Amino acid sequence: MDNSYEPVIVGFLCNWCSYRAADLAGTSRLHYAPNMRPIRVMCSARVEPQFVLKALREGADGVLIAGCHPGECHYVDGNIKALRRYELLKRMLRQLGIEEERVQLVWAAASEGNVLADAVNRMTEQLRRLGPLRWRETVLGGDGQMTEYSSEKVSKEV
Amino acid sequence: MKYGYYPGCSLERNAAAYHQSAMAVAGPLGIDLVEIDDWNCCGATEYFSINLLPAYALVARNLALAQDQGISDQLVAPCSACFLNLTKTDRYMADSPQLAADVNEALAAGGLHYTPGSVRVRHLLDIIVNDVGYDVVAAHVSKPLTGLRVAAYYGCLIVRPGYGGIFDDPEHPTVMDKLLRVLGAEVVDFPLRAQCCGGHMTQISQEVAYEMIRRLLKNAADYEADVIATVCPMCQLNLDAYQANVNQFFKTDYMIPVLYFTQLMGLAFGASPLELGIGKEFVDARPALSKIGVAVPSNGTPRKAGASKEALPMPRLEEERS
Amino acid sequence: MAAKEKPKFAMYWAASCGGCEISTLNIGDKILAVGEAFDVAFWPCVADFKVKDVEGYPDGYIDLCLFNGAIRNSENEEMAHLLRKKSKILVAFGSCASEGCIPGLSNLTTAEATLRAVYLDNPSTDNPKKTLPQPFTKVPEGTIQIPVFYERVKSLDQVVAVDYVMPGCPPEAHQIATVMDAVITGVPLPPPGRSIIGAGSVAVCEECPRQKNVKRIKRFYRPYEITPDPEICLLEQGIVCMGIATRAGCGALCPRVNMRCEGCYGPLDGVEDQGANMVAAIASVIEEGSGPLAGIDEAELQRRIGKVMDTLVDPAGTFYRFNMAHSLLMRARFTGGEVEKGAA
Amino acid sequence: MSEERVGVYVCHCGSNIAGTVAVEEVSQWAAGLPNVVVSRDYKFMCSSLGQELVEKDIKELGLTRVVVAACSPHMHERTFRATCERAGLNPFLFEMANIRELDSWATDDRVAATQKAKAMVSAAVRRVIHHQPLQLLPVTINPNTLIVGGGVAGITAALEIANAGYHVYLVEREPSIGGHMAQLDKTFPTLDCSACILTPKMVDVAQNKNITLLSWSEVEVVEGYIGNFTVTVRKRARYVNEEKCTGCGICIDKCPKKVVDEVFEAGLGYRKAIYRPFPQAVPKYPVIDTASCIFFQRGKCKACQMFCPTEAIDFEQQDQILKLEVGNIVLATGYDTFDPRRIPQYGYGRLANVFTSLEFERMVNAAGPTGGRIVLRDGVTTPKSVAIIHCVGSRDKNYNEHCSRVCCMYSLKFSHLLHERVPDAQVYEFYIDIRATAKRYEEFYHRVLEEGTRFIRGRVAEVTDAARLPGEEGKLIVQYEDTLVGKQRRLPVDMVILSVGMEARRDSREVAQIFGLGCEYNGFFIERHPKLDPVNTMTEGIQIAGACQGPMAIPEAVAQGAAAAARVLSLITQGTVMMEPVRAHIDAEKCSGCRICNNLCPYNAIVFHEDRKVSEVITALCQGCGACVAACPSAAIMGAHFTDEQVMAQIEGMLWDVQPQIAMTATGAE
Amino acid sequence: MTAYATTARAPTFLEEVIARTPGEPHLERCIQCGTCGGSCPSGADMEHTPRGLFALINAGLREQALCSNTPWYCVSCYYCTVRCPQQIHITDVMYTLKRMAIDEGYYTESTARDAPEFSKTFIDFVESNGRSFELGLATAYHLRYRPLNAVGMAPMALGMLRRGRMDLTPTKIKGIKQLQAILNKAKELGGVK
């Protein structure tokens, strides 16, 4: 794997727990992978699957959704809604050929800066191993290509 | 209930009594112990001191055999040291993919592969109290050990550090106490129940080892135990075979027989002492066993606060609460 | 004094089943009015025109062009560009043109796998030499060219600018009729730029007569697994009805006959991805996970929820039945040897 | 292409940001972004000069949007919103990029940090263009306050607020207020008698007209939001009519049933089935403990009723459910002490003469079970040697990782009291570190040293009664390593005191859920900011005070009680607060009445109109989580300030550098 | 310690010990409380308590640490491990120190120099038979390293034989070749001989 490649992760952080966890990680100078680009939402329940797909299409190599631990959600159970959506989205992404490591849901309480930092480090490592996604180029790219289909090529596989 | 069975080197000979009695009680309790074919030594406490990876590989071969021979997804080890090494290897392989990879590369040289977690290793005591259960055991008691004062000695590795999951308190285990009570025995308090028997120190520094053994014997004697019940061949060996040496060394005269808990179960089930391997112990158990059936009034030191009028209440323990 | 020129009408059929054409004819005698109002400049399915004729027209010659069918091959794309050039108003007509529709589902697999399915693996195909269509074939007379089969299906608006979109698979005849009326009677259309015509602006539920209650889904069922209550919202009964995320206009035809809405009218304004919104909506109302949460085992909870989601077979194929080519991701990704996995 | 005129301001924050992020580069680069008309970097944007910079540009350059790249919005979002407002720009047309906590402080890779900063700035710029002007929502504050927990923190808060002339409901779970402090004997380091300084305050509570004291009661449900909470309280049946009871105590004397008092006497003493935890209890009314009352158990006795001079005993009494309307809530629910049964090797429960610190507090207390005599469990023998073990259940990853902060000091206090009461006793303190970190603490430590206590640095390994060596028989043997000598030792003593630590209340997570708070990993409630906002919580209108927020000694608990009161009073005197307009709104035109959203709102803010077949969000109840916004399949619900457009634009901005942004649909340009 | 706390300098002795112990032993966490030293059944006879040993390691006093008899007196009872308030895997660390002492030849300085010999004798039998062999072990080890004791131990050995608790010949497993192949591969991988 090309070492120069640095994965880009879009992180959706809930305002009450995980964003504060990120703040705490910073204030306590916990150094972690600079690969996650944070977007603050009020609750992980605000994160639409659309946002995830959008990020992936616009070039993110992975998406991290972070919320409060079940039972600690500022909005009682918003994180459970996020979890439900994540579980279904995960199954759909599998069909679309997107590895499970590319979209992750983690819980980090406001006091768990280290948990969030570790999650980002872990995910960055996993994505380094998976390699870039670059949706537009690698999946959509080559619009109107004039590829020829050699019968040999296919018949070999038959 | 069918289990894979890993006797370990000791049970072949020096702790043959343990093996015999285990088999003798397993039958009636419906425990089917099927010995895994061609198992090897677990390395005891020695191999890890010399060379790490081979030590894991040595143990892993047994796990791989158990896994492949498909007797059961559970493997029973009666020896606490074997129990520890097997559970530790399985646990560490699961925790460290790197180690798992290395060990498996080594196993591959012997055409084997082990997937961590595919075999659950359990101690014999664990399955008797948890899978079989006290009630079933009670149902098989035909000759209760009434009047026999027993010190339940757990030793270390069966309860610590709990790589295979904790089935009793690592500091103050009690399941064997309950089991022995079910057998009708009078279980004495035995504060040092989970202390070390000296392990391999007998080979390295006898002074140190003898002192450890002495403590245990003294504690058992203080509580006037007729018998010490063990769950581990190493403990049995140290307390039994070295008892004379200890007496000689400290000018003491302890004469406390050390039996395997399975031997006591066998007796309570009405099995003959012979088929339970009784007689193989160094400190003769017969005088003590002659007591069975004869209730001797206890005059062992009581260990509860005197309930005088001024006495302050004792904090209650969990079991008392529930 | 020269008779006033009639406006020119065209209708073209790219990668599609022909249902749109039939639906257009289904407007009944209104078709005569169309004939009255327009000169047909190009309509391969009803009259004999050649591409040459169209190329001969001056730019913007055609006043109204209904383009149905997706862009599956190079011919489709060339025609799209040509008709765009020659038309004043280009309408992406029907689901294929506007969002890829059923052909778009092949974006869940590779072009190669599609060809293989058609020319090699199909049990009814006898192709011993394993011949596959080749864009260029040398024959004694020279080189024969056929259209190039594209890697992925595209909607019309992904290759040319589209003035209007008329959704539906096919667009309902009455909708077509109203649009035609409007055009003929000169009722001003909405400003062009992929604006929707001939459909509602609210979800199918609006037109669906079923009783709708607060939703708590225990598990999902495929239509054959249960006989749904005819009065109650299908979704509440665990049937994955796309009505909640689909533009109205059809009159809720399917739900009326106990069949789940499959989403052919596409997403609503402001929705970029119909499938993703379905995920968000129905996953939210799963019952699993409600109840006290203090000190809950997080892994266990996730497992339980996952089990419910497993009862929803083939989410991608279900949520993107019509919208795949026009969804945010547009197609599935293949890192090699995953065609089967991808082709749900 | 939008017409908005955006100003970008990149903060150095001294070297906090500039040290890792090339701020000049970022601001120069930002100047080239679409819609950006001005981009500057400045040492401290939050300084008045920095803010004036923004105001000036808004006025002179006609900025319609502002982006500040600096610290966390939780730090300065309000600051800069105010800045915009002063310059006549709606405060919500502003967006903050957190390039400090989330960037410069989280890495030392300058290149990566700068790139990340650019991404956050471009995201903010693209987002802010889609912002809409919003107005804060005014909410009127109900002047009544609920205080949960009648320990010293709760009592202080209650008195502060009540004395300011506002009404307080003080809810206490136990029959009397006073909390743990009422159980203590002396307080370190001043050695004042705990009860003597606390009871006057308790009496003040009882007599204060502005305080409604609800003891023997618990909060069950909390609904609403800041300024307008509705709280459901269960007032448990006392079986004593408070109107009639004079608190004479005859019933208690006459009650034939004696049981161990697990709560107030920490299990060391007894109480009756009808009881008052302690003589100075407030309120003075006793309660009947039905679990041990002979009448409730066997249907006969009624001794208390027979002897009660005022016929106050009422066996028919039922629990009462009260609904309280309050504007603010103060949680002062306190702590639990660690249960040393969890550490079997210390023998508590098995070995008679091992005591907990709380038991010892009761023992030395003149009003306690032994009348202040220090004796072994047999109730008569005076110990000649006592070992005090520090850090029991604290500073231990197996139990509680945190330091309980008070144990060192109260252990020293015990040494002192032992020397005072049993002069010839030898006292040993087993410690890891002595933490005497507040006013006059260190001095107290020295005093105890001089009194002859032997300090042994080493965490005790085990306490056993298994004698090994001569001289150990019949004693408790403490086994430990004297780490300063580096040797394993055994010390026979008569009595062992376990200095147990402070833990969060066993039910703190349930309580947190009732009030919508967050809990630390160890169960203590999370404050809004550990330094700058220690008594406020993430939930507007709810304050925390005392040891429910973390281990602390009496002075801090009192200070926090007062601080919480000050918070509440400032809100009450303001009369109204402005709330974030981050709210959901359903466009009735687009709602198909599918009812997906109906059961998603945790605050039941969504109603369905059967007649019109559309759903609607009640703005006052909506808290703005956005769960319904995300769930609406037809995009009919709009989440103010977190709209799809805004977030989508932000996503694009975040990924500005990743790949060419090819148009996905063909545009008019042919 | 995250993967990003990278460092250029040579590892300290402490870091070495941690690196050579499987999993995460967390030795760096030690707060010198002495729980291990107090809990150790053979602690009274150790030259350094475990805590003391960790202080030496932390101070980088390699020779003193590796010459200590402490690791060899460890009986693997795991009391220290389960009681350690910092959850340090003390027993594992002891095994590591034993291996390091052997690799670096320090153990010969140790007052417990026989211990490794015992371990070696033990595994020699395991490696050649697949099972341990008490008689062989006892005789070989005692005659080789503690002849005096051998005499003292004789009666016990006889007792063992009389009670049929000891074999005269070792048991060999069928798959001994396989086992040896595995162990050799492991040694090759493990790098340590």
Side-chain angles (χ1 to χ4, degrees), chain A residues 73-76, chain D residues 224-225 516 600-606 621-625:
Chain A
C73 175
H74 180 74
Y75 302 103
V76 186
Chain D
Y225 47 94
L600 295 187
C601 182
Y603 310 100
N604 307 319
I606 302 179
L621 293 176
C622 172
Q623 297 295 299
C625 68

Side-chain angles (χ1 to χ4, degrees), chain D residues 555-617:
Chain D
E556 292 105 305
V558 171
Q560 285 207 343
R567 283 277 182 170
V568 171
L569 288 171
S570 77
L571 284 163
I572 295 175
T573 41
Q574 285 170 43
T576 62
V577 284
M578 298 311 256
M579 296 237 292
E580 285 282 295
V582 177
R583 296 285 182 269
H585 168 75
I586 299 181
D587 177 349
E589 289 304 299
K590 298 183 70 184
C591 175
S592 70
C594 72
R595 304 196 65 179
I596 281 283
C597 59
N598 286 192
N599 57 340
L600 295 187
C601 182
Y603 310 100
N604 307 319
I606 302 179
V607 292
F608 180 70
H609 300 290
E610 271 297 346
D611 50 346
R612 291 180 286 139
K613 295 263 180 290
V614 292
S615 299
E616 183 190 354
V617 173

Side-chain angles (χ1 to χ4, degrees), chain C residues 293-313:
Chain C
L293 294 166
I296 194 157
D297 174 347
E298 297 173 0
E300 168 61 12
L301 176 67
Q302 181 160 11
R303 203 188 51 71
R304 291 211 314 265
I305 290 176
K307 275 188 61 200
V308 178
M309 298 310 174
D310 285 334
T311 63
L312 200 165
V313 182

Side-chain angles (χ1 to χ4, degrees), chain C residues 16-195:
Chain C
S16 68
C17 65
C20 292
E21 310 271 349
I22 294 166
S23 193
T24 311
L25 299 179
N26 275 353
I27 65 178
D29 40 19
K30 279 223 166 48
I31 198 71
L32 303 173
V34 175
E36 275 303 312
F38 290 98
D39 281 339
V40 173
F42 185 57
W43 193 350
C45 148
V46 299
D48 185 10
F49 286 94
K50 296 279 175 288
V51 175
K52 286 268 163 295
D53 307 330
V54 182
E55 284 165 344
Y57 298 146
D59 290 2
Y61 173 77
I62 301 165
D63 295 272
L64 174 66
C65 175
L66 306 183
F67 189 108
N68 73 82
I71 309 302
R72 166 83 275 187
N73 61 32
S74 51
E75 182 199 23
N76 303 149
E77 181 162 14
E78 283 160 33
M79 288 308 291
H81 285 291
L82 177 63
L83 287 167
R84 167 73 278 181
K85 199 137 134 286
K86 304 295 177 185
S87 312
K88 287 200 187 65
I89 297 176
L90 179 65
V91 179
F93 188 82
S95 179
C96 292
S98 50
E99 50 180 2
C101 195
I102 302 300
L105 276 175
S106 66
N107 286 1
L108 285 171
T109 180
T110 61
E112 206 173 291
T114 309
L115 286 176
R116 189 195 288 154
V118 176
Y119 291 93
L120 304 174
D121 302 346
N122 187 331
S124 66
T125 305
D126 179 26
N127 182 0
K129 302 230 298 297
K130 309 217 179 301
T131 318
L132 286 180
Q134 299 303 321
F136 304 96
T137 316
K138 296 227 177 348
V139 291
E141 297 78 1
T143 303
I144 305 175
Q145 182 183 353
I146 62 165
V148 176
F149 191 75
Y150 284 169
E151 189 54 36
R152 73 174 161 101
V153 169
K154 292 177 207 156
S155 60
L156 182 59
D157 69 347
Q158 284 168 6
V159 294
V160 298
V162 165
D163 302 309
Y164 298 102
V165 166
M166 189 150 176
C169 180
E172 277 304 296
H174 71 273
Q175 296 282 12
I176 304 174
T178 17
V179 170
M180 284 307 185
D181 276 347
V183 178
I184 295 164
T185 56
V187 175
L189 292 168
R194 213 187 177 282
S195 351

